[in-house]
Amino acid sequence: MTTSIYIRQEKQEDRSYVFKIIEAAFKNMEYTDHQEQFLVERLRKSQAFIPELSLVAVLEETVVGYILLSKIKIKNAITEYNSLAVAPVAVLPEYQNRGIGGLLLKAAHERAKELGFKSAVLLGHAVYYPKFGYKQASTFNIKLPFEVPLENCMAIELVENGLRGVTGTVQYPAEFFG
């Protein structure tokens, strides 16, 4: 199934369809505010937005999935570090469980490395994301700025030792909070 899927940068004309994909993908999810599609719209207008990391999955000329990585900081009392937030990863429900989310993640990771980013952080499914190299953020001494179960707060080193010496709390752009 995934052989005819390709990943490309989102185009302006994809945006209304991406909105519907995100809305559909999160519609029946339990732990969500069902506002992810509005988050993406806010992030596109922000300094945190990186067009090269706003990607769609295309199957037979139809956009069926989406991923966005945007700029964040990891800050402690002394230093702040650049990183990325993975939010959201969305696949139309009828195309889920076919490896499309994984293709989006891998492509986004590769493009992020090419752009010089060393790490990414996400809040997500505790069983799904470790398949792609994510570990509990607490293993890197990284925290989120709000209360969530530790197993759902994850980070990945996009390059070897990409989080070596990085500790602190994730500072999301204001757009994450509405």
Side-chain angles (χ1 to χ4, degrees), residues 112-150:
K113 283 196 294 193
E114 290 167 8
L115 293 171
F117 290 95
K118 297 178 182 177
S119 65
V121 175
L122 62 76
L123 178 60
H125 196 279
V127 176
Y128 180 73
Y129 291 99
K131 296 177 195 174
F132 304 98
Y134 285 85
K135 298 176 183 162
Q136 281 190 27
S138 59
T139 63
F140 300 108
N141 292 311
I142 296 169
K143 300 182 293 200
L144 293 188
F146 39 78
E147 290 294 318
V148 290
L150 286 179

Short mmCIF file of all heavy atoms in Angstrom, two decimals, residues 112-150:
data_model
loop_
_atom_site.label_atom_id
_atom_site.label_comp_id
_atom_site.label_asym_id
_atom_site.label_seq_id
_atom_site.Cartn_x
_atom_site.Cartn_y
_atom_site.Cartn_z
N ALA A 112 14.42 17.77 8.73
CA ALA A 112 14.84 18.56 9.90
C ALA A 112 16.36 18.48 10.08
O ALA A 112 17.01 19.48 10.36
CB ALA A 112 14.12 18.07 11.15
N LYS A 113 16.91 17.28 9.90
CA LYS A 113 18.38 17.12 9.99
C LYS A 113 19.06 17.95 8.92
O LYS A 113 20.06 18.62 9.20
CB LYS A 113 18.78 15.64 9.83
CG LYS A 113 18.55 14.82 11.06
CD LYS A 113 19.27 13.49 11.03
CE LYS A 113 18.77 12.57 9.98
NZ LYS A 113 19.25 11.18 10.15
N GLU A 114 18.54 17.92 7.70
CA GLU A 114 19.13 18.71 6.61
C GLU A 114 19.12 20.20 6.93
O GLU A 114 19.98 20.94 6.48
CB GLU A 114 18.37 18.45 5.30
CG GLU A 114 18.58 17.06 4.74
CD GLU A 114 17.59 16.71 3.63
OE1 GLU A 114 16.82 17.60 3.17
OE2 GLU A 114 17.57 15.53 3.23
N LEU A 115 18.13 20.63 7.70
CA LEU A 115 18.02 22.04 8.08
C LEU A 115 18.83 22.37 9.32
O LEU A 115 18.83 23.52 9.80
CB LEU A 115 16.55 22.41 8.31
CG LEU A 115 15.66 22.38 7.06
CD1 LEU A 115 14.20 22.56 7.45
CD2 LEU A 115 16.09 23.45 6.07
N GLY A 116 19.52 21.37 9.88
CA GLY A 116 20.41 21.60 11.01
C GLY A 116 19.82 21.38 12.39
O GLY A 116 20.46 21.66 13.39
N PHE A 117 18.61 20.87 12.45
CA PHE A 117 18.00 20.59 13.76
C PHE A 117 18.51 19.27 14.31
O PHE A 117 18.76 18.32 13.56
CB PHE A 117 16.47 20.58 13.66
CG PHE A 117 15.91 21.95 13.43
CD1 PHE A 117 15.63 22.39 12.15
CD2 PHE A 117 15.69 22.81 14.50
CE1 PHE A 117 15.13 23.66 11.92
CE2 PHE A 117 15.20 24.09 14.29
CZ PHE A 117 14.91 24.51 13.00
N LYS A 118 18.67 19.21 15.62
CA LYS A 118 19.28 18.05 16.27
C LYS A 118 18.29 17.21 17.07
O LYS A 118 18.61 16.09 17.46
CB LYS A 118 20.40 18.50 17.20
CG LYS A 118 21.54 19.20 16.49
CD LYS A 118 22.59 19.67 17.46
CE LYS A 118 23.70 20.41 16.74
NZ LYS A 118 24.69 20.92 17.68
N SER A 119 17.09 17.76 17.33
CA SER A 119 16.15 17.03 18.18
C SER A 119 14.72 17.47 17.90
O SER A 119 14.48 18.49 17.26
CB SER A 119 16.47 17.28 19.66
OG SER A 119 16.28 18.64 19.99
N ALA A 120 13.79 16.66 18.42
CA ALA A 120 12.37 16.98 18.33
C ALA A 120 11.68 16.45 19.58
O ALA A 120 12.13 15.47 20.18
CB ALA A 120 11.74 16.40 17.08
N VAL A 121 10.59 17.11 19.94
CA VAL A 121 9.82 16.76 21.13
C VAL A 121 8.37 16.60 20.70
O VAL A 121 7.90 17.29 19.79
CB VAL A 121 9.94 17.89 22.18
CG1 VAL A 121 9.06 17.64 23.38
CG2 VAL A 121 11.39 18.08 22.60
N LEU A 122 7.65 15.69 21.37
CA LEU A 122 6.23 15.56 21.09
C LEU A 122 5.47 15.07 22.30
O LEU A 122 6.04 14.52 23.25
CB LEU A 122 5.97 14.64 19.89
CG LEU A 122 6.39 13.17 19.94
CD1 LEU A 122 5.46 12.33 20.78
CD2 LEU A 122 6.42 12.62 18.53
N LEU A 123 4.19 15.29 22.25
CA LEU A 123 3.24 14.75 23.21
C LEU A 123 2.39 13.80 22.41
O LEU A 123 1.69 14.21 21.48
CB LEU A 123 2.39 15.89 23.79
CG LEU A 123 1.31 15.51 24.78
CD1 LEU A 123 1.90 14.81 26.00
CD2 LEU A 123 0.54 16.75 25.22
N GLY A 124 2.49 12.49 22.71
CA GLY A 124 1.80 11.54 21.85
C GLY A 124 1.63 10.17 22.46
O GLY A 124 1.91 9.94 23.64
N HIS A 125 1.20 9.25 21.62
CA HIS A 125 0.87 7.89 22.02
C HIS A 125 2.12 7.14 22.48
O HIS A 125 3.09 7.02 21.75
CB HIS A 125 0.22 7.16 20.84
CG HIS A 125 -0.49 5.92 21.24
ND1 HIS A 125 0.17 4.74 21.45
CD2 HIS A 125 -1.79 5.69 21.51
CE1 HIS A 125 -0.71 3.81 21.80
NE2 HIS A 125 -1.91 4.37 21.84
N ALA A 126 2.06 6.64 23.72
CA ALA A 126 3.23 6.03 24.39
C ALA A 126 3.74 4.77 23.70
O ALA A 126 4.91 4.42 23.87
CB ALA A 126 2.89 5.73 25.84
N VAL A 127 2.92 4.10 22.93
CA VAL A 127 3.35 2.87 22.26
C VAL A 127 3.78 3.14 20.81
O VAL A 127 4.71 2.53 20.31
CB VAL A 127 2.22 1.81 22.30
CG1 VAL A 127 2.61 0.56 21.53
CG2 VAL A 127 1.88 1.47 23.75
N TYR A 128 3.12 4.07 20.15
CA TYR A 128 3.38 4.32 18.74
C TYR A 128 4.74 4.97 18.48
O TYR A 128 5.54 4.47 17.69
CB TYR A 128 2.26 5.21 18.17
CG TYR A 128 2.42 5.53 16.70
CD1 TYR A 128 2.19 4.55 15.73
CD2 TYR A 128 2.81 6.79 16.27
CE1 TYR A 128 2.33 4.84 14.37
CE2 TYR A 128 2.95 7.09 14.93
CZ TYR A 128 2.71 6.12 13.98
OH TYR A 128 2.87 6.39 12.65
N TYR A 129 5.02 6.09 19.11
CA TYR A 129 6.20 6.88 18.76
C TYR A 129 7.55 6.24 19.10
O TYR A 129 8.52 6.46 18.37
CB TYR A 129 6.09 8.30 19.33
CG TYR A 129 5.01 9.07 18.60
CD1 TYR A 129 3.74 9.21 19.14
CD2 TYR A 129 5.25 9.63 17.35
CE1 TYR A 129 2.74 9.89 18.45
CE2 TYR A 129 4.27 10.30 16.65
CZ TYR A 129 3.01 10.43 17.21
OH TYR A 129 2.03 11.08 16.52
N PRO A 130 7.65 5.41 20.15
CA PRO A 130 8.94 4.75 20.38
C PRO A 130 9.40 3.86 19.20
O PRO A 130 10.59 3.64 19.03
CB PRO A 130 8.69 3.94 21.65
CG PRO A 130 7.68 4.76 22.39
CD PRO A 130 6.75 5.27 21.30
N LYS A 131 8.47 3.42 18.37
CA LYS A 131 8.84 2.62 17.18
C LYS A 131 9.75 3.41 16.24
O LYS A 131 10.44 2.83 15.41
CB LYS A 131 7.58 2.21 16.40
CG LYS A 131 6.64 1.32 17.14
CD LYS A 131 5.41 1.05 16.27
CE LYS A 131 4.28 0.46 17.05
NZ LYS A 131 3.05 0.33 16.27
N PHE A 132 9.71 4.74 16.37
CA PHE A 132 10.47 5.60 15.47
C PHE A 132 11.65 6.26 16.18
O PHE A 132 12.24 7.21 15.66
CB PHE A 132 9.55 6.64 14.84
CG PHE A 132 8.40 6.01 14.13
CD1 PHE A 132 7.17 5.88 14.74
CD2 PHE A 132 8.57 5.45 12.87
CE1 PHE A 132 6.11 5.25 14.12
CE2 PHE A 132 7.54 4.81 12.23
CZ PHE A 132 6.30 4.69 12.84
N GLY A 133 11.99 5.76 17.36
CA GLY A 133 13.16 6.25 18.07
C GLY A 133 12.89 7.22 19.20
O GLY A 133 13.83 7.69 19.85
N TYR A 134 11.64 7.55 19.43
CA TYR A 134 11.32 8.47 20.53
C TYR A 134 11.47 7.78 21.88
O TYR A 134 11.16 6.60 22.02
CB TYR A 134 9.89 9.02 20.38
CG TYR A 134 9.81 10.05 19.29
CD1 TYR A 134 9.62 9.68 17.96
CD2 TYR A 134 9.94 11.40 19.58
CE1 TYR A 134 9.57 10.63 16.95
CE2 TYR A 134 9.89 12.36 18.57
CZ TYR A 134 9.71 11.96 17.27
OH TYR A 134 9.67 12.90 16.27
N LYS A 135 11.96 8.54 22.84
CA LYS A 135 12.12 8.07 24.22
C LYS A 135 11.43 9.07 25.14
O LYS A 135 11.25 10.23 24.76
CB LYS A 135 13.60 8.00 24.60
CG LYS A 135 14.39 7.04 23.75
CD LYS A 135 15.86 7.10 24.12
CE LYS A 135 16.62 6.16 23.19
NZ LYS A 135 18.03 6.44 23.16
N GLN A 136 11.11 8.62 26.35
CA GLN A 136 10.53 9.57 27.30
C GLN A 136 11.47 10.76 27.45
O GLN A 136 12.67 10.59 27.64
CB GLN A 136 10.31 8.90 28.65
CG GLN A 136 9.08 8.04 28.70
CD GLN A 136 8.75 7.59 30.11
OE1 GLN A 136 9.09 8.23 31.08
NE2 GLN A 136 8.05 6.46 30.20
N ALA A 137 10.92 11.94 27.35
CA ALA A 137 11.73 13.16 27.44
C ALA A 137 12.45 13.24 28.78
O ALA A 137 13.54 13.81 28.87
CB ALA A 137 10.85 14.38 27.22
N SER A 138 11.86 12.65 29.80
CA SER A 138 12.49 12.69 31.13
C SER A 138 13.84 11.98 31.13
O SER A 138 14.71 12.33 31.94
CB SER A 138 11.56 12.07 32.18
OG SER A 138 11.27 10.72 31.85
N THR A 139 14.07 11.04 30.21
CA THR A 139 15.39 10.39 30.14
C THR A 139 16.47 11.37 29.70
O THR A 139 17.64 11.14 29.93
CB THR A 139 15.39 9.17 29.20
OG1 THR A 139 15.10 9.60 27.86
CG2 THR A 139 14.38 8.11 29.63
N PHE A 140 16.05 12.47 29.08
CA PHE A 140 16.98 13.53 28.67
C PHE A 140 16.93 14.72 29.63
O PHE A 140 17.50 15.78 29.34
CB PHE A 140 16.64 14.03 27.26
CG PHE A 140 16.70 12.98 26.19
CD1 PHE A 140 15.54 12.49 25.61
CD2 PHE A 140 17.92 12.46 25.76
CE1 PHE A 140 15.58 11.53 24.61
CE2 PHE A 140 17.97 11.50 24.76
CZ PHE A 140 16.81 11.03 24.18
N ASN A 141 16.18 14.58 30.73
CA ASN A 141 15.96 15.70 31.67
C ASN A 141 15.26 16.87 31.00
O ASN A 141 15.59 18.04 31.22
CB ASN A 141 17.26 16.14 32.34
CG ASN A 141 17.79 15.08 33.27
OD1 ASN A 141 17.04 14.56 34.10
ND2 ASN A 141 19.06 14.76 33.14
N ILE A 142 14.27 16.53 30.15
CA ILE A 142 13.45 17.53 29.48
C ILE A 142 12.01 17.37 29.99
O ILE A 142 11.52 16.25 30.07
CB ILE A 142 13.51 17.36 27.95
CG1 ILE A 142 14.94 17.62 27.46
CG2 ILE A 142 12.51 18.27 27.25
CD1 ILE A 142 15.17 17.23 26.03
N LYS A 143 11.40 18.51 30.29
CA LYS A 143 10.02 18.51 30.79
C LYS A 143 9.15 19.36 29.88
O LYS A 143 9.64 20.28 29.23
CB LYS A 143 9.94 19.10 32.20
CG LYS A 143 10.75 18.38 33.25
CD LYS A 143 10.57 19.03 34.61
CE LYS A 143 11.18 20.41 34.60
NZ LYS A 143 11.49 20.98 35.89
N LEU A 144 7.86 19.06 29.90
CA LEU A 144 6.89 19.94 29.25
C LEU A 144 6.40 20.96 30.27
O LEU A 144 6.47 20.71 31.47
CB LEU A 144 5.71 19.13 28.69
CG LEU A 144 6.03 18.18 27.54
CD1 LEU A 144 4.74 17.60 26.97
CD2 LEU A 144 6.83 18.84 26.45
N PRO A 145 5.89 22.10 29.81
CA PRO A 145 5.48 23.16 30.73
C PRO A 145 4.09 22.95 31.35
O PRO A 145 3.53 23.87 31.93
CB PRO A 145 5.50 24.40 29.85
CG PRO A 145 5.19 23.89 28.49
CD PRO A 145 5.84 22.52 28.42
N PHE A 146 3.53 21.76 31.20
CA PHE A 146 2.22 21.45 31.76
C PHE A 146 2.22 19.99 32.20
O PHE A 146 3.10 19.22 31.83
CB PHE A 146 1.10 21.72 30.74
CG PHE A 146 1.45 21.35 29.33
CD1 PHE A 146 1.43 20.02 28.89
CD2 PHE A 146 1.83 22.33 28.42
CE1 PHE A 146 1.76 19.69 27.59
CE2 PHE A 146 2.18 22.00 27.11
CZ PHE A 146 2.13 20.67 26.71
N GLU A 147 1.22 19.64 32.99
CA GLU A 147 1.15 18.29 33.55
C GLU A 147 0.61 17.30 32.53
O GLU A 147 -0.51 17.47 32.03
CB GLU A 147 0.23 18.28 34.79
CG GLU A 147 0.82 19.00 35.98
CD GLU A 147 2.05 18.30 36.55
OE1 GLU A 147 2.05 17.06 36.65
OE2 GLU A 147 3.02 19.02 36.89
N VAL A 148 1.42 16.32 32.19
CA VAL A 148 1.00 15.22 31.32
C VAL A 148 1.70 13.96 31.81
O VAL A 148 2.76 14.05 32.44
CB VAL A 148 1.36 15.46 29.84
CG1 VAL A 148 0.51 16.57 29.24
CG2 VAL A 148 2.83 15.77 29.67
N PRO A 149 1.15 12.78 31.53
CA PRO A 149 1.85 11.56 31.91
C PRO A 149 3.23 11.50 31.25
O PRO A 149 3.37 11.80 30.06
CB PRO A 149 0.93 10.45 31.39
CG PRO A 149 -0.42 11.09 31.27
CD PRO A 149 -0.16 12.52 30.91
N LEU A 150 4.24 11.11 32.02
CA LEU A 150 5.61 11.06 31.51
C LEU A 150 5.73 10.21 30.25
O LEU A 150 6.50 10.54 29.35
CB LEU A 150 6.56 10.53 32.58
CG LEU A 150 6.89 11.48 33.73
CD1 LEU A 150 7.82 10.79 34.73
CD2 LEU A 150 7.53 12.75 33.20
#
